[in-house]
Amino acid sequence: MEHAKLRWWLSGMIRAAVAVVLMATAFATGCAPGSATRHPVQEESEEPAVNRLVIHTDAGKETISRNIYGHFAEHLGRCIYEGFWVGNNSPIPNTRGIRNDVVEALRQLNIPVLRWPGGCFADEYHWTDGIGPPEQRPTMVNTHWGMVTETNAFGTHEFLDLCEQLGCEAYIAGNVGSGTVEEMQDWVEYMTFDGDSEMANLRRANGRDKPWRVKYFGVGNENWGCGGNMSPEFYADLYNRFQTYVRSYSGNRIVKIACGPGSENYHWMRVVMERCSRRTDAISLHHYVRGSGNWTRKGSATRFDEKEWFALMKNTLTIYPLLKNSIEIMDKVDRRGRIGLLVDEWGTWWDAEPGTNPSFLYQQNTLRDAVSAGIFLNAFNEHCRRVKMANIAQTNNVLQAMILTEGEKMILTPTYHVFEMYKVHHDAVLLPVELQCADYQLGDERVPAINVSASREKSGKIHVSVCNLDPSNSRELQCRFQGLDARRFSGRVLTAEGMAAHNTFDRPQAVKPARFDDFSIKGDALTVTLPSKSVVVLEIE
Ligand code: AHR
């Protein structure tokens, strides 16, 4: 073959090979190349003239666990104290010391599961300090979060009462870092044993006759860091030992969770999976994101420019390769797909609000956080084959909170509203989608402008959650519903004038969902105009 022809032939072969790989990936993930799973930083590509979405409404086999919409509450800053717990004698309306307004707001989200007591706090928490008459409970120093005095007024009984008031499952993180095996075993027995035993009788003496249902139990938290600075090999041995004594008592089948890595620490994931997979039901993963800042200067939650907006969008999209790579490791060890991946801490992390204790991690929450949450949740939905739970950090007054409180006042954040809009995905069937969309470009960098997830609920209704990452331009999206003769469309949208729009105690409703009807139907296609910087949830019947 002459030189030019050979080059032409070779490039044809390479293109064909790439196409085969892409098709195989598409087949394996249920998504076509160029869909919601596109890598955050794009290579040069030809912009599609029209953004197109195909939803295969008659396909789909995986269920999106409601637990993906789970929450996390740590003894940190004002999350538990003030956020949940005000005490029986507070003028703030409460039920057995737990504030009613917060419970009511979380019930509106159909909160499925709550993780407690930490976080880093978990590995220095001794549960026996938090039972019995409150005035007799010892105090301790909360060394991770500001060296403040922990009164232990909120302990096991109060937490499990909170879960019952919320109507959610309890997820307890046990102490491996500074605790003992016996202490962990006793705690589980105290909470869940129905029979005659020292621990069950102690629970009765403290006012609770019947055991609680505790479905999820974490064996340690971040044991590669604040939970004991361990190597994965050392932790794996400890996990295997501790978990032996985490028993399922009296019909309470406990789901055991091994401590997984922080973000891209794939070595930890591999070692713990290889050494613990026979003895665990799940492994955790933590992933926090920010803009272009670093751990010392993370950036302001409310004062930022488009560069910082873009940086958060780009960093949020790292959740896709992170989940893909983590799941690949899990798949190699656990071929049957038995072990769940629980992203039990995730969200944005900014500098604490000026004038507040930096150790309390109190941050405001803008439309930027809401769009980031929309993307995270779409990613969890898309990987629901393995992702069986996720818990945003944290519920009240800490990090990417649902709720901010000030005395008796309470406001809902833009992120809360995303959780409320997305609750239509709870326990629905994930639908395969194909998305072709233009990029949102800033300088030399680009990310896909649109991010999507779709599901079908039991009644047959379809829901599509769509984020427009572009803060300046609205985007048209042409949607086709394969396998459905769609007749009725409606929608809700969360957006605002400014990138940094947020709710305050003076303007609590500045960012809230509104009815969305910026769409038209032509033939079998629905054309939607997504406002800039928005989260839209469509309902199709
Ligand atoms: O959510 C705040 C902290 O972040 C948690 O305590 C810890 O697990 C993580 O590093």
Side-chain angles (χ1 to χ4, degrees):
M1 241 185 270
E2 54 187 81
H3 199 61
K5 265 194 190 156
L6 178 67
R7 248 195 1 235
W8 174 83
W9 182 81
L10 275 175
S11 75
M13 290 304 281
I14 290 167
R15 273 201 309 272
V18 169
V20 167
V21 171
L22 286 176
M23 289 311 291
T25 314
F27 186 74
T29 59
C31 295
S35 79
T37 52
R38 281 168 61 183
H39 192 271
V41 184
Q42 299 296 296
E43 299 94 49
E44 286 297 316
S45 61
E46 235 172 66
E47 295 279 298
V50 189
N51 302 304
R52 288 178 212 278
L53 175 68
V54 179
I55 298 158
H56 298 271
T57 67
D58 49 358
K61 49 186 196 306
E62 304 293 342
T63 297
I64 299 171
S65 170
R66 59 173 55 213
N67 289 336
I68 282 178
Y69 295 83
H71 295 267
F72 166 43
E74 179 168 13
H75 287 240
L76 192 180
R78 298 187 301 115
C79 183
I80 297 290
Y81 299 107
E82 293 186 40
F84 278 121
W85 181 255
V86 287
N88 296 299
N89 300 324
S90 170
I92 300 173
N94 68 82
T95 303
R96 296 181 292 281
I98 297 167
R99 59 192 294 170
N100 295 342
D101 51 356
V102 171
V103 167
E104 186 43 38
L106 293 172
R107 284 181 68 91
Q108 292 302 318
L109 299 182
N110 298 343
I111 176 174
V113 58
L114 184 62
R115 177 174 182 254
W116 173 86
C120 295
F121 182 78
D123 283 273
E124 67 175 355
Y125 181 62
H126 300 283
W127 70 273
T128 47
D129 294 350
I131 55 168
E135 60 288 355
Q136 287 171 23
R137 297 184 191 177
T139 59
M140 67 176 276
V141 186
N142 190 334
T143 61
H144 290 290
W145 307 118
M147 296 285 176
V148 294
T149 301
E150 163 64 54
T151 63
N152 279 308
F154 190 90
T156 301
H157 288 247
E158 290 75 19
F159 171 66
L160 292 167
D161 185 16
L162 169 63
C163 290
E164 287 182 343
Q165 291 189 35
L166 292 169
C168 74
E169 298 287 359
Y171 171 1
I172 289 197
N175 180 348
V176 172
S178 70
T180 65
V181 178
E182 184 185 14
E183 187 182 358
M184 189 176 282
Q185 175 171 32
D186 284 352
W187 199 6
V188 177
E189 185 185 317
Y190 181 90
M191 292 185 288
T192 59
F193 187 53
D194 203 8
D196 182 13
S197 80
E198 190 188 336
M199 287 302 122
N201 291 335
L202 181 59
R203 180 191 71 233
R204 291 187 188 102
N206 286 330
R208 173 79 184 200
D209 181 28
K210 284 281 143 216
W212 291 280
R213 175 183 156 87
V214 177
K215 192 159 178 199
Y216 300 98
F217 197 90
V219 180
N221 168 78
E222 294 197 353
N223 302 93
W224 37 264
C226 63
N229 291 306
M230 301 175 193
S231 69
E233 292 81 7
F234 182 70
Y235 171 74
D237 285 348
L238 280 189
Y239 173 82
N240 286 329
R241 174 166 177 240
F242 273 67
Q243 70 76 36
T244 310
Y245 306 93
V246 175
R247 309 277 190 203
S248 288
Y249 295 102
S250 312
N252 180 70
R253 156 83 174 93
I254 215 152
V255 173
K256 299 177 194 178
I257 301 144
C259 167
S263 299
E264 287 88 11
N265 185 349
Y266 298 122
H267 176 62
W268 181 284
M269 175 60 94
R270 202 168 292 117
V271 173
V272 175
M273 275 302 292
E274 279 165 3
R275 297 184 181 210
C276 307
S277 65
R278 283 194 306 118
R279 299 189 181 89
T280 195
D281 301 301
I283 185 161
S284 66
L285 172 67
H286 291 179
H287 192 52
Y288 287 101
V289 288
R290 53 177 180 259
S292 64
N294 53 37
W295 270 110
T296 339
R297 292 176 73 88
K298 299 175 197 78
S300 163
T302 51
R303 289 179 308 280
F304 56 85
D305 55 14
E306 190 177 347
K307 210 171 123 254
E308 285 304 304
W309 169 284
F310 182 91
L312 179 66
M313 296 303 127
K314 184 178 142 194
N315 292 341
T316 299
L317 288 164
T318 58
I319 188 64
Y320 282 93
L322 175 61
L323 292 177
K324 181 174 165 286
N325 297 339
S326 306
I327 291 170
E328 257 170 39
I329 295 171
M330 294 178 73
D331 284 348
K332 280 201 184 111
V333 181
D334 171 36
R335 289 172 200 276
R336 290 194 356 252
R338 187 185 61 80
I339 298 173
L341 179 61
L342 313 192
V343 190
D344 60 15
E345 286 186 31
W346 66 272
T348 56
W349 194 323
W350 307 114
D351 291 338
E353 278 301 294
T356 66
N357 184 335
S359 303
F360 285 9
L361 312 185
Y362 176 75
Q363 66 189 41
Q364 249 297 354
N365 189 302
T366 68
L367 185 58
R368 178 175 63 158
D369 298 276
V371 176
S372 171
I375 298 169
F376 262 109
L377 294 169
N378 285 343
F380 298 148
N381 286 354
E382 188 170 317
H383 295 86
C384 67
R385 174 174 73 84
R386 272 287 177 189
V387 179
K388 297 299 179 196
M389 189 193 290
N391 310 69
I392 188 168
Q394 298 192 6
T395 320
N396 314 310
N397 298 326
V398 170
L399 299 177
Q400 193 173 356
M402 301 295 112
I403 289 170
L404 303 179
T405 65
E406 204 177 79
E408 76 293 352
K409 290 192 227 150
M410 177 198 87
I411 56 173
L412 307 175
T413 64
T415 300
Y416 173 97
H417 292 305
V418 173
F419 271 74
E420 193 275 319
M421 289 164 72
Y422 273 50
K423 68 185 179 189
V424 290
H425 288 309
H426 292 199
D427 297 332
V429 173
L430 175 75
L431 296 177
V433 297
E434 291 164 59
L435 172 67
Q436 259 192 340
C437 74
D439 289 333
Y440 156 40
Q441 182 166 2
L442 190 71
D444 304 339
E445 290 194 290
R446 44 175 72 211
V447 292
I450 297 173
N451 179 273
V452 179
S453 167
S455 71
R456 184 184 62 237
E457 68 174 37
K458 275 208 183 77
S459 70
K461 277 186 199 160
I462 309 291
H463 294 103
V464 189
S465 44
V466 195
C467 305
N468 179 3
L469 281 58
D470 188 334
S472 314
N473 301 296
S474 62
R475 302 273 175 165
E476 276 205 353
L477 178 65
Q478 204 177 79
C479 312
R480 284 205 154 73
F481 303 92
Q482 241 173 47
L484 181 77
D485 183 14
R487 283 162 204 281
R488 241 185 275 163
F489 305 90
S490 58
R492 294 170 78 206
V493 60
L494 188 76
T495 189
E497 278 290 301
M499 292 185 290
H502 57 278
N503 295 331
T504 62
F505 292 93
D506 295 331
R507 293 191 63 217
Q509 310 264 12
V511 187
K512 61 172 191 198
R515 199 184 128 137
F516 177 76
D517 39 29
D518 207 347
F519 51 75
S520 60
I521 303 151
K522 263 196 215 119
D524 63 343
L526 172 78
T527 302
V528 183
T529 306
L530 304 165
S532 61
K533 48 181 171 352
S534 63
V535 178
V536 170
V537 175
L538 300 167
E539 182 169 286
I540 300 100
E541 289 179 70

